[in-house]
Amino acid sequence: FLEVAGRLGLAFTGKRILDVGCGRGFPRDTVLRLGGSYTAVDFVITPSACPKIQGDAARLPFADAAFDGLFCIDAMEHFPD
């Protein structure tokens, strides 16, 4: 993911990133390494090295504008129409 972030010119320094439907949370290490903070939310909590908050993507437990950026990788196909 570090290579992809670099190619896209993504800047994480000082940014608060939310990962919805995070799964194993693979962007976490890159976000942290590049100076951002990372919050992971998933409907199902499975064991992994990435700490997560259990939540529903349709009803996130955060205030509007609480984050500077969002990832939703490989999750959209799991949401109802």
Side-chain angles (χ1 to χ4, degrees):
F1 192 78
L2 182 60
E3 181 182 340
V4 171
R7 286 184 182 196
L8 294 174
L10 300 177
F12 296 113
T13 303
K15 302 294 183 185
R16 299 161 299 174
I17 305 300
L18 176 63
D19 191 355
V20 176
C22 63
R24 292 185 206 120
F26 75 89
R28 177 182 180 259
D29 290 343
T30 298
V31 171
L32 296 177
R33 181 177 180 182
L34 297 177
S37 66
Y38 179 86
T39 302
V41 176
D42 208 309
F43 190 72
V44 176
I45 301 297
T46 56
S48 75
C50 177
K52 301 174 192 119
I53 297 168
Q54 187 169 17
D56 184 340
R59 294 174 201 81
L60 293 171
F62 308 107
D64 290 349
F67 296 93
D68 301 301
L70 169 85
F71 288 119
C72 187
I73 303 168
D74 290 333
M76 295 300 287
E77 67 270 20
H78 301 288
F79 300 151
D81 293 336

